[in-house]
Amino acid sequence: MREAIGRRVHRLRTERELTQRQLAEPAYTAAYISTLEAGKVQPSEKALRHIAERLGSSYEELVTGRPAHLATDLRLRLTEAQRTLTTHDPDDAAERYTAILRDAEHHGLHSEHAAALVGLGHCALETGDLDRAREHFEAAESVLVAAGAPLPQRVAAIRGRSVTHLLAGELRYACYLVEKTLDELNSSGLHDPEALVLLYTAAIAPYMDLGAHARAAQAAELALALAPQVSDPELIARMHRGVARTLIAEGKVAEAEESLAKAAAYYQQLQLRTELAQCHWMRGYVHAQDGDLERAESELRTAHAGLVSQRAALYASQVGVELADVLRRRGKTGEAEALLRELVDQLHSERGAVHAAGAHRLLGMIAEQDHGDDLDTAEEHYTIALALLETAGATGDLADICRLLGDLLRRTGRVEAALDAYRTGLGHRAAPGTTTLGPAPARPPHWHRGASPESTLL
């Protein structure tokens, strides 16, 4: 360490064209500075503060090699990069985060290094590159673990990892990451309200897609209870957006609208365009579930346009599927089909799996019901959707596609195959707020009422 300090003193002194005597006086001698620069003596704090003042530097810079106020400057740049991501172009934001990453890594600033990696992860999420996003989040967590950072500081990276698995259709693993971290936080007494709210909010979407409605409602309740201890308005807005989905599942449409209005107000104040578009998305979802298709179409079009303008490709594709569902239900079948055919190539088993299944489900319904009983095409789309949903474990959607496929097979006289499809759906439940698209379907005949999807989770 003393050798490194000596090299820094020598470099700064020569840059400022000072002699060793000029640097030393009046408290020290030129010989002392020479010995120090050669790394042969461990300088005291008092000596380093004197030298730093003469050099126009700081004690911290001489000890660590980091320019004065670097950490503060990097945190300001992180804020600017985040603003760029949410209001402008994710590629521009990624360039900013990369520059911050380079400076933080060079100077050993672990928190800022990890924060830049998390930012890059969110940039990749915006553009739909889930593999790269996951790599960034995992790298951020590794940096913090190596630095000995406490678990609450790692929560943002863990939550990011969970989101990538959710969007890839790996719902159970998304839940596992969140639940494991919550267990560690709670069992170790690390009561960090912001970390807990972030995690409870992150759990809502995968729980709902898995059909674990009781768990989703409990996560929402716990997040709301902790909210008064949280100061981050963006986190509070995200929480309200997640809570709205649990409310619509309980049939509480007015409360869901109120929760979304709170989220939208925060996002409007913060000028977070991507998040505001996602609020319109959730409002469209609420109206579609409630049967108000005109308002649903308006909200989903607004959300889709906002996400396209932000170049949030994956989210825009997902909204597009839900918009196509509403268009079809409003009798605009041609427009819905054209939109879906654009989207099926953008969504697949590892990129928006649940909405990929939704797109095939809709194309199957169009083929079966709107194109004069093109049953072969419908069956092909239903089968693809079923495979996607079985892998993801999206309970409400899985129950619905099993019903559709079973009904089709029964119409064509394949009774045993139809029974197999119905059996696949047994134990799953489709209720308001549990399916990606449309209102919850009526339960098939002889539906098994005793099954509990929550009992099979994890």
Side-chain angles (χ1 to χ4, degrees):
M1 179 177 177
R2 64 188 185 185
E3 291 84 358
I5 291 174
R7 288 194 296 271
R8 291 187 199 111
V9 171
H10 176 76
R11 176 177 57 80
L12 292 170
R13 179 179 64 78
T14 54
E15 285 176 359
R16 289 155 176 74
E17 299 182 347
L18 294 174
T19 66
Q20 291 178 338
R21 184 177 298 277
Q22 288 172 325
L23 181 59
E25 291 179 344
Y28 300 92
T29 65
Y32 176 75
I33 298 299
S34 177
T35 304
L36 187 155
E37 288 184 350
K40 296 178 180 180
V41 64
Q42 180 65 46
S44 66
E45 179 179 338
K46 180 180 178 182
L48 284 177
R49 291 194 181 279
H50 164 80
I51 293 169
E53 182 179 356
R54 299 287 288 172
L55 291 171
S57 180
S58 69
Y59 169 76
E60 289 76 15
E61 181 175 2
L62 292 183
V63 172
T64 65
R66 300 167 189 158
H69 311 300
L70 175 64
T72 301
D73 291 342
L74 288 179
R75 283 192 286 272
L76 289 172
R77 289 165 61 191
L78 283 166
T79 301
E80 292 169 1
Q82 183 179 10
R83 176 70 59 181
T84 299
L85 175 60
T86 54
T87 60
H88 296 97
D89 184 343
D91 292 335
D92 185 9
E95 289 182 8
R96 292 173 181 262
Y97 279 122
T98 300
I100 297 167
L101 174 65
R102 187 167 50 245
D103 290 343
E105 186 175 15
H106 176 72
H107 293 288
L109 292 169
H110 306 297
S111 295
E112 290 74 16
H113 182 183
L117 285 167
V118 168
L120 285 169
H122 285 297
C123 291
L125 280 179
E126 288 279 305
T127 58
D129 191 341
L130 299 184
D131 289 338
R132 178 165 292 185
R134 189 174 302 130
E135 288 173 3
H136 287 312
F137 291 130
E138 288 174 349
E141 189 176 1
S142 295
V143 167
L144 292 171
V145 169
L151 182 57
Q153 292 183 25
R154 310 200 304 267
V155 162
I158 295 169
R159 180 258 176 189
R161 288 175 58 201
S162 176
V163 171
T164 66
H165 288 287
L166 169 66
L167 293 175
E170 298 162 355
L171 306 182
R172 291 181 182 276
Y173 194 70
C175 288
Y176 165 76
L177 285 174
V178 173
E179 289 184 336
K180 176 176 177 290
T181 308
L182 281 167
D183 286 344
E184 290 179 17
L185 282 172
N186 290 323
S187 64
S188 60
L190 295 170
H191 184 77
D192 185 306
E194 293 202 353
L196 292 170
V197 169
L198 186 63
L199 290 168
Y200 285 129
T201 301
I204 291 173
Y207 278 158
M208 292 299 295
D209 285 344
L210 282 166
H213 317 129
R215 290 195 185 193
Q218 183 183 43
E221 183 180 352
L222 291 168
L224 286 167
L226 289 165
Q229 302 176 54
V230 174
S231 59
D232 181 355
E234 184 181 353
L235 178 53
I236 293 296
R238 184 184 298 159
M239 177 200 69
H240 282 300
R241 206 174 77 212
V243 166
R245 189 170 177 188
T246 68
L247 292 171
I248 191 62
E250 296 170 0
K252 300 176 180 178
V253 177
E255 289 90 336
E257 289 252 37
E258 182 181 350
S259 192
L260 286 172
K262 292 177 181 177
Y266 280 116
Y267 290 140
Q268 192 73 50
Q269 181 182 358
L270 295 168
Q271 298 183 350
L272 301 180
R273 296 176 188 172
T274 298
E275 285 75 7
L276 188 58
Q278 290 178 331
C279 242
H280 286 291
W281 177 4
M282 181 57 76
R283 277 178 166 165
Y285 173 82
V286 169
H287 294 316
Q289 291 273 314
D290 198 39
D292 190 342
L293 300 183
E294 183 176 357
R295 290 177 70 187
E297 180 181 345
S298 175
E299 292 286 358
L300 290 171
R301 285 191 185 279
T302 299
H304 188 261
L307 291 168
V308 169
S309 70
Q310 289 298 109
R311 299 180 62 187
L314 177 55
Y315 294 130
S317 296
Q318 292 176 315
V319 173
V321 174
E322 299 193 27
L323 175 59
D325 172 59
V326 171
L327 291 172
R328 178 186 174 276
R329 291 165 64 193
R330 296 200 71 194
K332 303 177 182 180
T333 305
E335 186 179 356
E337 185 175 10
L339 178 56
L340 288 167
R341 295 203 179 280
E342 290 180 14
L343 295 172
V344 287
D345 292 332
Q346 301 170 23
L347 298 164
H348 49 75
S349 62
E350 297 178 356
R351 189 177 188 271
V354 173
H355 281 80
H360 283 289
R361 168 190 180 272
L362 287 172
L363 286 169
M365 293 175 70
I366 290 170
E368 181 182 7
Q369 301 170 19
D370 301 317
H371 283 177
D373 286 347
D374 184 355
L375 299 185
D376 289 341
T377 300
E379 182 177 348
E380 180 182 352
H381 283 299
Y382 291 155
T383 302
I384 293 171
L386 177 60
L388 288 165
L389 293 170
E390 282 188 314
T391 301
T395 301
D397 295 305
L398 182 59
D400 182 39
I401 202 66
C402 287
R403 176 186 62 85
L404 288 170
L405 180 59
D407 289 349
L408 183 150
L409 293 169
R410 188 174 58 180
R411 285 179 60 193
T412 57
R414 288 172 285 173
V415 177
E416 286 301 322
L419 288 172
D420 286 341
Y422 290 138
R423 290 188 190 103
T424 301
L426 288 176
H428 303 300
R429 176 174 57 190
T434 67
T435 54
T436 306
L437 307 171
R443 288 178 173 175
H446 312 300
W447 190 264
H448 179 57
R449 296 175 179 272
S452 171
E454 285 88 344
S455 66
T456 60
L457 177 67
L458 299 182

